[in-house]
Amino acid sequence: MVMVLNRSLHNNLALPVPAIRKYKLTLMFSFAMAVLIHVVCWTVLPLLLLRNVALDMVEGMAWGREWQLGYEKDPPLFPWLIELLTTWSNKELWISYLAGQLCIATVFYGAWRLGRRVTTDRQALVGALLLEGVYYYNFPTHEFNDIVLQMPFAALFGWLLHKAITENRLADWIWSGVVASLGLWSRYSMGAYILPLALFVLAHPVARRRLASPGPWALLLTSTLLFLPHLYWIVESGFVSIEYVGRRAPKITTIPDFLSGLFSYIGAQLLALLPMLLIAIMLWRWRSARAWLQLKWQNFDQAYVTVLALGPIVFSLLLSIVTARSLRAMWGAPLWCFIGVFIVMIVRPVLSTERLRYFGYSWFIALLLPATIFILDQLYGAKITGNDKRTHFPGTELARIVTDRWHATINSPLKYVAGDTWYAGNVSFYSSARPSTMFSHGSYRFSPWIDPQRMKSFGAMLIWDAGREGDAIPPELAAEFPNAISQPQVTLDGHVSIHRIGLAFVPPEMLENLASVESDRTGR
């Protein structure tokens, strides 16, 4: 890619029309090659190094097979999608790795398309590729989850809304509404983009004029109607997904603790952006200029990109302050889709051949460094920490052992598994029976797809972490299933750890009835 940049991204703009077209095609090719390299790299690496499904995917697939309008922790789009993909691929994990990287590729694409509308083609290319230096778009993306799924919708929404406001075509407004709704179906944090941009439309005179046209109202109507089924589910479920957010971000009662958590979150975001910021330094124009910082409210494009790039993080921080609730570092992952475009827009870098050469080298370093760390972490991380990684857990072996034990003991299909999220989720995914899952921390309220009477009829397998919770059936499971019968533990050898897993069987009600009848007959 460095050679392509050196050959094509020159400073001579006085070109005939055919040369300009060729020049633009070369820039597009450079962008496409960079994105392709990223997708291939981060799809192949986990495929070669990981052997087990990740935690968020375990949870998502346990939910997705039930086809609900919502779940305890999330809107349903991620569980639905991961269920479709894994079923289609016969549970092969490569499909989830590729899906995650296609989401990231879409982020690059959305940033690039917006950049081409508000800057030069060269600056748009650099602004999009700067995202390679953001931690959230490389190292953790092997785990396809709701955070990764929300990212492309945020990126497409930022690009499409700018197009809708500037061109005022009804189709663009409607598509913006569709994408906004899909983002909310993926993760509620899509609101961190929607609300700041809604305020921007009300505040900026150029955007505000569009309120006299049908477009913004078509967007509002489209997004609302599409999101209405999940809103209905939220109310019907007793707001369980909203309650979960509150549990994950508990209210902090003391000012020092709150400030500590707030600055810890801000520090984590800066650390995630650090590689990109280091690359951006070389784009800085050190020559004297009175207007080197291009932040002007009167300029619609600059105002829009500023709100788009910084509005989500500012909104999140304000929400944290107002509610006195802490934020988790990874919650910042979807909020930085346009930070690269913002940087090139305010700095307006002079992209000389030499600077582009160094940028190309830096881009490769930004790609290879986290990839190298990922390889080392997967090969040697467990030995250093003394704890196995979840992605190396023998989930297939656990599911086989548990399923075989069930069928050897109980003459009934394995329809239900209840217990620890990790172990129950692995059994649910890897078992050929694909039993429905009830995670032990939530009981029936968080598993409305389970009919208690039907569960009694077919019985259930209980599973827990015996190394952490002890050999006895955990209290929450024992209270829910008083007739559970303990089974011998399952012991699995990991890379550096030994996994002790507790098991108990809840016999089917029909077997209990048969046993009672047999006892009465023998007694007579």
Side-chain angles (χ1 to χ4, degrees):
M1 195 187 90
V2 176
M3 295 179 63
V4 172
L5 285 171
N6 289 341
R7 287 196 305 266
S8 63
L9 303 183
H10 48 77
N11 295 319
N12 183 13
L13 298 180
L15 297 172
V17 173
I20 291 176
R21 289 177 180 171
K22 182 178 179 181
Y23 167 69
K24 289 180 175 290
L25 287 174
T26 306
L27 289 173
M28 294 174 63
F29 176 75
S30 300
F31 172 77
M33 285 301 298
V35 173
L36 179 62
I37 291 170
H38 173 99
V39 169
V40 171
C41 175
W42 286 103
T43 301
V44 171
L45 283 181
L47 186 61
L48 295 177
L49 296 171
L50 309 184
R51 58 175 291 193
N52 197 76
V53 68
L55 176 60
D56 284 351
M57 287 178 56
V58 156
E59 209 166 37
M61 286 181 288
W63 291 330
R65 70 181 303 280
E66 310 299 342
W67 297 102
Q68 304 290 297
L69 284 174
Y71 301 94
E72 169 201 354
K73 300 180 182 180
D74 284 313
L77 188 57
F78 167 67
W80 290 351
L81 183 59
I82 198 63
E83 172 67 18
L84 286 173
L85 291 176
T86 51
T87 300
W88 174 78
S89 66
N90 195 26
K91 300 184 184 179
E92 295 292 335
L93 296 182
W94 65 267
I95 192 68
S96 67
Y97 305 143
L98 178 59
Q101 298 318 310
L102 292 179
C103 287
I104 302 303
T106 306
V107 173
F108 292 149
Y109 177 78
W112 177 63
R113 289 300 300 266
L114 178 65
R116 295 181 70 195
R117 297 182 64 85
V118 300
T119 64
T120 68
D121 286 348
R122 286 180 289 179
Q123 290 172 348
L125 176 67
V126 171
L129 296 187
L130 273 174
L131 294 179
E132 192 67 56
V134 178
Y135 164 80
Y136 297 127
Y137 301 125
N138 45 63
F139 194 92
T141 57
H142 68 276
E143 184 169 357
F144 184 43
N145 56 25
D146 57 324
I147 293 177
V148 174
L149 183 60
Q150 188 223 300
M151 291 177 179
F153 297 117
L156 293 175
F157 180 67
W159 161 50
L160 288 171
L161 185 62
H162 182 274
K163 191 177 179 184
I165 294 173
T166 54
E167 300 179 14
N168 202 27
R169 295 193 309 174
L170 187 61
D172 292 328
W173 287 106
I174 293 174
W175 276 114
S176 297
V178 171
V179 170
S181 181
L182 289 173
L184 289 171
W185 277 91
S186 303
R187 187 174 171 83
Y188 299 139
S189 56
M190 182 69 187
Y193 281 90
I194 295 173
L195 294 178
L197 287 174
L199 293 175
F200 172 80
V201 170
L202 294 175
H204 198 280
V206 173
R208 192 168 57 246
R209 284 197 292 269
R210 299 306 187 196
L211 295 176
S213 67
W217 309 108
L219 184 158
L220 181 62
L221 181 63
T222 301
S223 58
T224 302
L225 288 177
L226 290 177
F227 195 59
L228 204 55
H230 183 64
L231 286 176
Y232 171 80
W233 174 87
I234 290 176
V235 176
E236 285 295 301
S237 68
F239 300 91
V240 294
S241 56
I242 308 301
E243 289 177 7
Y244 167 76
V245 176
R247 291 196 303 272
R248 290 285 284 175
K251 183 169 288 190
I252 300 177
T253 56
T254 65
I255 293 178
D257 288 344
F258 175 76
L259 291 177
S260 175
L262 183 65
F263 287 117
S264 175
Y265 175 78
I266 294 173
Q269 302 313 304
L270 291 175
L271 191 61
L273 299 177
L274 183 60
M276 183 208 65
L277 295 175
L278 292 175
I279 297 173
I281 288 175
M282 70 181 63
L283 304 175
W284 197 269
R285 295 190 297 175
W286 292 106
R287 63 195 178 110
S288 60
R290 292 185 178 181
W292 59 268
L293 192 61
Q294 304 291 320
L295 288 173
K296 298 178 181 178
W297 177 254
Q298 295 80 6
N299 185 306
F300 171 78
D301 288 343
Q302 291 173 3
Y304 180 86
V305 172
T306 300
V307 172
L308 184 60
L310 302 182
I313 188 65
V314 172
F315 173 81
S316 299
L317 292 173
L318 288 176
L319 187 63
S320 174
I321 293 170
V322 170
T323 61
R325 295 181 182 274
S326 60
L327 298 171
R328 294 177 173 268
M330 280 302 296
W331 288 359
L335 307 181
W336 300 107
C337 296
F338 296 96
I339 190 64
V341 176
F342 172 72
I343 287 176
V344 298
M345 195 168 187
I346 64 170
V347 174
R348 298 289 182 181
V350 178
L351 297 175
S352 63
T353 301
E354 183 179 7
R355 281 195 174 189
L356 287 169
R357 182 187 304 117
Y358 287 124
F359 176 78
Y361 295 149
S362 300
W363 181 87
F364 267 114
I365 293 173
L367 174 75
L368 295 177
L369 184 59
T372 302
I373 296 174
F374 179 80
I375 293 170
L376 295 175
D377 180 53
Q378 296 300 324
L379 293 178
Y380 306 109
K383 296 179 181 178
I384 294 173
T385 63
N387 296 313
D388 277 340
K389 294 184 176 297
R390 292 188 187 276
T391 48
H392 291 172
F393 180 75
T396 305
E397 185 179 355
L398 172 64
R400 179 185 57 78
I401 292 173
V402 168
T403 305
D404 288 348
R405 282 199 188 180
W406 173 270
H407 289 304
T409 307
I410 297 177
N411 185 26
S412 176
L414 178 58
K415 293 284 188 180
Y416 299 100
V417 55
D420 176 278
T421 301
W422 176 243
Y423 296 119
N426 268 273
V427 171
S428 175
F429 175 61
Y430 283 111
S431 172
S432 57
R434 284 301 307 274
S436 290
T437 309
M438 184 174 80
F439 297 134
S440 56
H441 65 275
S443 189
Y444 292 102
R445 186 188 179 209
F446 293 159
S447 306
W449 52 85
I450 293 180
D451 179 356
Q453 190 56 48
R454 183 175 170 82
M455 195 177 197
K456 288 180 181 179
S457 297
F458 284 97
M461 188 270 293
L462 311 184
I463 189 167
W464 66 93
D465 185 348
R468 187 182 75 248
E469 300 184 77
D471 298 337
I473 300 174
E476 66 271 15
L477 289 175
E480 194 70 59
F481 305 100
N483 60 334
I485 303 170
S486 294
Q487 302 295 313
Q489 285 184 4
V490 175
T491 302
L492 298 174
D493 292 329
H495 282 191
V496 296
S497 304
I498 296 177
H499 304 278
R500 292 176 49 241
I501 302 159
L503 284 183
F505 292 160
V506 179
E509 195 174 63
M510 55 185 177
L511 294 185
E512 289 184 324
N513 293 337
L514 287 174
S516 177
V517 170
E518 179 65 20
S519 176
D520 292 344
R521 187 185 65 79
T522 305
R524 288 197 302 269

